[in-house]
Amino acid sequence: MAGSSPTTPDDVKTIQLLAKGVMEIYEPPLATINTHLKELTEKQEAVHNMLTSERRKLEDLQNDVMLDALLADIATSREKLTSISNSMMGLHKRVQSLQTRAANIEKIAKNKAAASQDRASKS
């Protein structure tokens, strides 16, 4: 205010009364709002903590499902390996049996050949 006069004691008193009145009007709602904000912040933190906990549980369950799938794969692979191993053992026994049989047939064939030669040389 360009042409205002110096502040008088009455003006100061009026300003103080106005300030006091404004404070009386706005201070209680502001205090209530502050209390509500604190309550909301606490509830928000509680909800955040619950969500974090639930997310961890869900992740643990998903990890359990993946682990169960891996364990099932291991069991299946073990069964396949056992089956292959048993097949290989069976084949090995058959090969040994065939080798023994081939050796016996060869021995018989040599004996027959020797017997034929003996007959041929005696005649």
Side-chain angles (χ1 to χ4, degrees), residues 28-51:
L30 289 174
T32 303
I33 288 172
N34 190 29
T35 302
H36 290 311
L37 282 174
K38 284 181 184 177
E39 289 173 5
L40 284 173
T41 302
E42 290 171 1
K43 287 179 182 178
Q44 183 181 18
E45 287 177 14
V47 168
H48 179 266
N49 290 338
M50 285 174 25
L51 286 173

Side-chain angles (χ1 to χ4, degrees), residues 52-53 62 65-66 72 75-76 83 103:
T52 301
S53 173
Q62 288 173 340
V65 168
M66 289 181 358
T76 302
S83 174

Side-chain angles (χ1 to χ4, degrees), residues 14-85:
T14 302
I15 291 170
Q16 287 175 343
L17 287 173
L18 284 172
K20 184 178 177 186
V22 168
M23 287 300 291
E24 285 175 359
I25 291 172
Y26 289 109
E27 190 174 17
L30 289 174
T32 303
I33 288 172
N34 190 29
T35 302
H36 290 311
L37 282 174
K38 284 181 184 177
E39 289 173 5
L40 284 173
T41 302
E42 290 171 1
K43 287 179 182 178
Q44 183 181 18
E45 287 177 14
V47 168
H48 179 266
N49 290 338
M50 285 174 25
L51 286 173
T52 301
S53 173
E54 291 300 318
R55 189 185 79 232
R56 284 188 190 132
K57 288 179 187 175
L58 181 61
E59 288 172 355
D60 288 346
L61 285 175
Q62 288 173 340
N63 289 338
D64 285 349
V65 168
M66 289 181 358
L67 183 60
D68 289 344
L70 288 174
L71 290 174
D73 287 346
I74 289 171
T76 302
S77 297
R78 186 167 189 256
E79 287 176 14
K80 287 179 182 178
L81 181 62
T82 302
S83 174
I84 291 169
S85 178

